[in-house]
Structure formats: C-alpha cells, structure tokens
Amino acid sequence: MGRKGKMIEKEIESSYLNEPMTIKIYLPESYSPLFKYNICIMQDGNDYFQMGRVATLSDKLHSSKEMTNTVFAGIHYKDKYDRRKKYHPSGEQNDAYTKFLVKEVVPLLDEIIPTYHMGQSRALMGDSLAGTLALMTAIRYPNTFGKVVMQSPYVDENVLSTVKDAENLHSIDIYHTIGKDETEVHMTDGNIADFLEPNRELNKQLKTKGTTYYYHELENGDHSWKYWQKDMPRILATMFN
C-alpha cells in the first residue's frame, strides 16, 4: 500500500455494549501534537479503509492541500446481524451503540489526539445503515457532531419523522448521496427495498432545514462500494477543506 500516515489501534471495553470494541485510527503523514485536527468517525470502518481507500485518499488530499488536518477513526462490526443490531434505528443495541460513540469513542479521541473539542470539527460517516446511524446520532447529539456524511442511507418512516421534528439541523453540515439505480436493494433481512424514493423524500425534508447540505444522485449508481468509493475524493474535499 505504501501508506504515508500511521494506523494505530485502540480498544475500548465498552460499558454500554458490554464488549470490547476496536477503534482503528489513521494519522496523516504530517501528524503533530502541535496542530489541531478534525475527526471523522466511520462505522463500517474496515470497509472504508479497504474498499473506500480512505487512508490512501487522506495521504493524497493532505499532500495536495485539498483537505485540512483530519484524523480518520474506523469502527467495524462482527457480522451482518451485529451490524443491524447496532446501526438500525430500531436495532436492540442502537441506543447503547450511540452512547458508546458519544460517551466513550469521542472522549478517547479527544484524549489522544489534539482536537478542537467542537461539534463542527467532528464528522460521522457511513454507508447504507451506517449512514442512517450517522444522521440519527448527529440529530440526537448536535453539539458533539457537526458533520454527517451518508452514502445511500437506509430511510424509513422513523427516520423521516425524526428529521421532520429535528430543530437543531441548521448547525449540522450534511453530505448525502443516493444512486439512481438503487430501486431494488437486497437487504440483510432478506427483503428487497427501494432506496431511491425514500432518499428523495429525505432530501426534500433536509432542504427545508436551512443547513449546509450537499446532495448528489449518482448516475447508474447502485448500492455498492464501486460507487461509494468513486465519490470519496469529492466527499473528503467537500467536507474537510
């Protein structure tokens, strides 16, 4: 790979989830305790590092100055059932997982990395269900997270009504994509769902919230890393410039 930055791993014995959770943290090449850093926390962390090529892009965009100092932290899931439990808005561990992020992951990162200690410099990024989690968590904790990146998020009535009722969205910058071919997405529970229409509905809701909001419909985009990866350079340059 020839990465220029440095990957470190930390483990949190989560008191909310009652299990050990690994956080993979990628520091840019020029990392120094003398600078301050934005933090981007990614669910589906291994996918973002491997298929999203976040570390490589971070090297490239830091070098070309298309991106300001940013540290990426990835958290992964055990399997698809674990992922659904933690990320799905009605998953049985969703509340505990959200608290783990806010009360365990953020303090750890603030302790080991020189950060701004402000919501505006903290992002949550995710694809599909992980994107849903990013949005729902930021709505609940707008002072902790000021940026959301969601690629093809799962959107249901619960998500739409949460957004509709949210009064704090104007303080959150949002980047939102959906692929135009995402009309028949195979979900982990075996069902097939249309992601396009609900995302267009979500787009309508978010537009009314007076937030800094970037929305892109990807041509021929389906529900896969092929399209999410292609969009990564634009995401990073847009949200962390």
Side-chain angles (χ1 to χ4, degrees), residues 163-179:
V163 168
K164 195 175 177 183
D165 298 342
E167 286 169 9
N168 46 31
L169 269 168
H170 54 84
S171 67
I172 301 169
D173 298 351
I174 297 174
Y175 186 103
H176 174 197
T177 59
I178 185 70

Side-chain angles (χ1 to χ4, degrees), residues 49-86:
F49 281 128
Q50 286 156 16
M51 294 183 279
R53 304 191 198 124
V54 161
T56 311
L57 282 170
S58 168
D59 289 349
K60 199 175 139 200
L61 296 172
H62 275 96
S63 296
S64 63
K65 304 271 188 286
E66 288 169 81
M67 188 175 166
T68 51
N69 289 341
T70 304
V71 166
F72 290 90
I75 307 160
H76 208 58
Y77 50 88
K78 290 200 283 275
D79 54 36
K80 64 181 186 181
Y81 307 105
D82 181 57
R83 182 176 183 267
R84 190 180 165 84
K85 240 187 252 176
K86 290 182 165 87

Side-chain angles (χ1 to χ4, degrees), residues 193-236:
D194 174 12
F195 270 50
L196 183 57
E197 277 316 310
N199 270 275
R200 283 178 169 164
E201 192 53 48
L202 177 60
N203 165 243
K204 277 186 206 144
Q205 297 269 8
L206 287 170
K207 270 196 205 145
T208 66
K209 292 292 178 176
T211 172
T212 306
Y213 177 51
Y214 307 92
Y215 175 72
H216 301 286
E217 290 192 359
L218 307 181
E219 292 297 332
N220 317 324
D222 63 17
H223 199 74
S224 74
W225 271 103
K226 181 182 168 187
Y227 293 95
W228 297 331
Q229 200 288 321
K230 273 187 196 158
D231 201 44
M232 289 309 299
R234 178 169 64 181
I235 290 174
L236 303 186

Side-chain angles (χ1 to χ4, degrees), residues 66-121:
E66 288 169 81
M67 188 175 166
T68 51
N69 289 341
T70 304
V71 166
F72 290 90
I75 307 160
H76 208 58
Y77 50 88
K78 290 200 283 275
D79 54 36
K80 64 181 186 181
Y81 307 105
D82 181 57
R83 182 176 183 267
R84 190 180 165 84
K85 240 187 252 176
K86 290 182 165 87
Y87 300 177
H88 196 288
S90 50
E92 48 270 50
Q93 281 190 306
N94 181 266
D95 186 54
Y97 188 83
T98 303
K99 291 197 171 96
F100 152 74
L101 283 178
V102 174
K103 299 178 195 301
E104 294 177 322
V105 178
V106 167
L108 169 82
L109 294 171
D110 280 353
E111 189 186 325
I112 60 176
I113 291 155
T115 65
Y116 293 98
H117 297 276
M118 282 163 25
Q120 227 8 67
S121 59

Side-chain angles (χ1 to χ4, degrees), residues 156-169:
D156 60 13
E157 285 308 318
N158 172 10
V159 173
L160 290 170
S161 66
T162 302
V163 168
K164 195 175 177 183
D165 298 342
E167 286 169 9
N168 46 31
L169 269 168

